[in-house]
Amino acid sequence: MRLLTGIQPSGTLHIGNYFGSIKQMVDAQNENEIFAFIANYHAMSSGNGGERLAQLTMQSAIDFLSLGIDPNKSVFWVQSDVKEVLELYWVLSSFTSMGLLERAHSYKDKVAKGISANHSLFSYPVLMAADILLFSPEVIPVGKDQIQHVEIARDIAVRFNNEYGDILKLPTFKVEENVATVPGIDGQKMSKSYGNTIDIFGEEKKQLKVVKKIVTQNVALEEPKEWRNCNVYNLAKLFLDETGQKELQARYERGGEGHGHFKLYLADIMWEYFRPYREQREYYLAHTDEVRDILNAGAQKAKEVATPMMDKIRSATGIAY
């Protein structure tokens, strides 16, 4: 089964990126055909300068590889290295109603948060549809906030196919319910847009400082604590097996420990969990030419799928003459 995912090179990866998408891809590599790309065209909607975007793209490639994306098992490339996606984006724009885009939750949410409204931000779902439909994946692993974008891609594909025949495959989405929405330090969905993230890589002291800012209830030290709706617990459980989760729940219910203790515990288990990934990252930082070779090879593999699809679309739409 072919799975596809993309992530914007908008800064250092955080644990929401990892548990919401990357880990699913890494775990699926042995049994599925994985297409994973760095969405640098999408990142332009955030207004990154040219030099900054180039730096972030390489950083994201290094981070993806360090976290377990295997170029021998997966097709891994940079979005802009496969130009067909922009051509399909324009074609699909003709099958996308304004009303469909105006209903997009992500656009309205980002504008409400103060992000400048522009056409690229508004038409983001159309480019995402092109990302998906160009490679005919069966499944798109997503967080809950991205479900609507997959549904939009399906709607666009249906309209296109009604006009030109069954050319575009309709994908389905897959949400891992227990990690579908990773909470940020303020309890909202963890997102760079909200400034509430915990980075995967970086200095231990800096990471601890961020963890200490996690919003919690004000409860006396000796009193039992509520773990079900605790932001600290809901982050810690991502790193724990069932036994570890039950042990932590018991600590909450016993009382005698404050949320500060649980924050220190969270920081410790996070740091140990990502230790091997940090070591792998040091290797790629010292071998950036190898990273570029991996990305170039991945782009060639992606084009082997994208080119015949666009040839078919050009022929059907009359662009080829």
Side-chain angles (χ1 to χ4, degrees), residues 191-260:
S191 171
K192 298 182 186 76
S193 300
Y194 303 153
N196 64 357
T197 61
I198 302 174
D199 293 342
I200 295 172
F201 302 113
E203 297 177 1
E204 185 174 11
K205 289 183 179 179
K206 184 176 180 180
Q207 188 178 81
L208 176 59
K209 186 177 180 180
V210 175
V211 170
K212 287 182 176 180
K213 294 180 180 178
I214 296 174
V215 176
T216 55
Q217 293 181 331
N218 187 14
V219 183
L221 181 68
E222 66 276 5
E223 294 294 325
K225 313 294 184 299
E226 169 58 50
W227 53 266
R228 291 176 180 82
N229 296 314
C230 177
N231 295 325
V232 178
Y233 174 82
N234 286 328
L235 286 167
K237 71 179 183 180
L238 300 172
F239 300 91
L240 300 171
D241 58 18
E242 185 176 354
T243 299
Q245 291 179 28
K246 288 182 178 179
E247 290 174 352
L248 183 56
Q249 292 168 16
R251 288 174 59 185
Y252 270 78
E253 293 170 353
R254 268 198 309 269
E257 291 184 275
H259 287 105

Side-chain angles (χ1 to χ4, degrees), residues 103-264:
R103 291 192 295 274
H105 303 315
S106 178
Y107 172 75
K108 292 187 288 187
D109 186 47
K110 288 179 179 178
V111 171
K113 292 292 182 180
I115 297 176
S116 178
N118 56 49
H119 178 264
S120 63
L121 191 66
F122 184 70
S123 63
Y124 180 106
V126 187
L127 182 55
M128 185 170 174
D131 292 324
I132 294 169
L133 301 173
L134 184 60
F135 298 101
S136 303
E138 282 83 14
V139 176
I140 312 297
V142 294
K144 286 183 177 179
D145 63 312
Q146 291 289 326
I147 291 175
Q148 188 189 41
H149 283 158
V150 180
E151 292 174 336
I152 289 173
R154 288 174 57 91
D155 287 345
I156 295 171
V158 167
R159 294 181 186 185
F160 180 93
N161 287 345
N162 285 342
E163 180 75 18
Y164 295 115
D166 292 331
I167 295 175
L168 302 177
K169 178 177 288 187
L170 273 61
T172 59
F173 61 82
K174 177 185 178 183
V175 177
E176 296 290 346
E177 289 297 334
N178 61 325
V179 295
T181 302
V182 178
I185 63 174
D186 58 357
Q188 297 186 88
K189 173 186 175 290
M190 186 173 289
S191 171
K192 298 182 186 76
S193 300
Y194 303 153
N196 64 357
T197 61
I198 302 174
D199 293 342
I200 295 172
F201 302 113
E203 297 177 1
E204 185 174 11
K205 289 183 179 179
K206 184 176 180 180
Q207 188 178 81
L208 176 59
K209 186 177 180 180
V210 175
V211 170
K212 287 182 176 180
K213 294 180 180 178
I214 296 174
V215 176
T216 55
Q217 293 181 331
N218 187 14
V219 183
L221 181 68
E222 66 276 5
E223 294 294 325
K225 313 294 184 299
E226 169 58 50
W227 53 266
R228 291 176 180 82
N229 296 314
C230 177
N231 295 325
V232 178
Y233 174 82
N234 286 328
L235 286 167
K237 71 179 183 180
L238 300 172
F239 300 91
L240 300 171
D241 58 18
E242 185 176 354
T243 299
Q245 291 179 28
K246 288 182 178 179
E247 290 174 352
L248 183 56
Q249 292 168 16
R251 288 174 59 185
Y252 270 78
E253 293 170 353
R254 268 198 309 269
E257 291 184 275
H259 287 105
H261 295 94
F262 300 130
K263 290 177 182 179
L264 291 175

Side-chain angles (χ1 to χ4, degrees), residues 85-121:
V85 71
L86 289 183
E87 184 176 357
L88 182 55
Y89 162 70
W90 182 251
V91 171
L92 297 180
S93 293
S94 298
F95 296 87
T96 309
S97 69
M98 292 292 289
L100 187 63
L101 296 182
E102 288 169 348
R103 291 192 295 274
H105 303 315
S106 178
Y107 172 75
K108 292 187 288 187
D109 186 47
K110 288 179 179 178
V111 171
K113 292 292 182 180
I115 297 176
S116 178
N118 56 49
H119 178 264
S120 63
L121 191 66

